[in-house]
Amino acid sequence: MPQKFYPNSVVCTLSRQNMCITNISLRLFFLVLLTIFKSQADSSACERKEKLLAILDLAKESISKAKHLQPACFKESKDISSNSSECGAKEKVSAYLDVAKNLIEEAKESYSTCDETGKFTKVELLHNKPIDCSEILENGENKSGEYIIWPRHRIFNGTQLKVYCDMDTDGGGWTMIQRRGNFSNKIDFYRDWNDYKYGFGNISEEFWLGNNNIFALTNQGDYTVRFDMKNAKNEYRYASYSSFRIDDESAGYMLHFDKYSGTAGDGIRDVANMKFSTKDRSNLRSYGKPCTTTKGGGWWYNYCGYSNPNGIYAPEAAESKKNMNWHPWTKYGPLLEMEIKIRAEK
């Protein structure tokens, strides 16, 4: 029987299915681009440019949606890294999507656009490698979502970091460092030191960005921190603090901030200059058992404190010290949502 020929891009073994689907999708996308180039040959140069920029935006949005649909792979141990494992395959698919998204961004950065006279003008970015979401906003990106930044700090050494940018709250430009809410994949925040050090969760849903990353971000300039929250009745309030930063790991990620403003009340005044604590490392003053046990999460605690942004998510629960709460507003009553974000002070 004669052998049938299949192109390499279509031959997909079961173990490589996700990766092949991604490769085929990207090839189809570029074929669409070539088709549009050809079909628009009789349009003016400026019209073609504008249409292609719109297509690049659509492609970027489609990739973001594909990443959101890609099942997350949470490793409970650090040794799950085999290329043949399901985790390895999912991570490769996610990496390819990131590469495609970055290539689209680079294409847009070097693209010419048209001014009102119909002449081409070079798009010049204010920040080629933005260090946070405020610089991404200054580059003209005003839609909330995932972005790549390059923190200007020694621990990054020129490498990049994926973050979620809030471009809607109070003028935008906020780099999210924590988020809690009613998402489909619930994240346990009662974790050990290394989890809080490196970060965990889904950057587009519930997550902690990681104390190492927060240290690097808040020590590359002056930053404001903002806590946005909703209670079980869907009422919204916020708290903001100037001059927010944390020290490095050798100092226990000690917390520093200055003046409070907002509508939720000063919920963290008692933990200024406190070190971070987790279930396996207690860096706090307490009366008896560790506060992480009493509070059910990792945080900057002082005699177990009052507010508990990383406590247990239980919006229907009765009052409890383990609830995710903001004490001046909810006492020990549970919160429905919590977001912690930082923005450079200008």
Side-chain angles (χ1 to χ4, degrees), residues 35-48:
T35 303
I36 293 170
F37 265 117
K38 187 175 180 181
S39 66
Q40 297 298 328
D42 57 348
S43 302
S44 71
C46 273
E47 286 177 344
R48 292 199 302 273

Side-chain angles (χ1 to χ4, degrees), residues 277-314:
S277 290
T278 59
K279 66 179 183 179
D280 62 332
R281 188 176 300 189
S282 180
N283 289 319
L284 46 79
R285 297 189 292 268
S286 64
Y287 292 111
K289 61 183 178 181
C291 292
T292 51
T293 303
T294 303
K295 306 293 277 189
W299 190 248
W300 293 274
Y301 294 121
N302 181 14
Y303 290 110
C304 296
Y306 294 100
S307 300
N308 195 25
N310 286 343
I312 294 174
Y313 183 82

Side-chain angles (χ1 to χ4, degrees), residues 162-189:
K162 182 167 66 175
V163 295
Y164 191 94
C165 295
D166 177 357
M167 300 304 194
D168 300 308
T169 303
D170 188 31
W174 297 94
T175 306
M176 201 90 72
I177 63 174
Q178 181 255 37
R179 177 164 48 199
R180 310 289 305 277
N182 186 24
F183 297 102
S184 56
N185 191 8
K186 301 308 300 175
I187 302 299
D188 182 8
F189 275 66

Side-chain angles (χ1 to χ4, degrees), residues 20 22 28 35 51 61 74 79 82 101 120 207 214 221 268 282 317:
C20 289
T22 303
L28 288 174
T35 303
K51 287 179 180 179
E61 183 177 352
F74 298 100
D79 60 349
S82 171
K101 192 173 179 181
F120 292 134
F207 70 94
I214 298 170
I268 59 171
S282 180

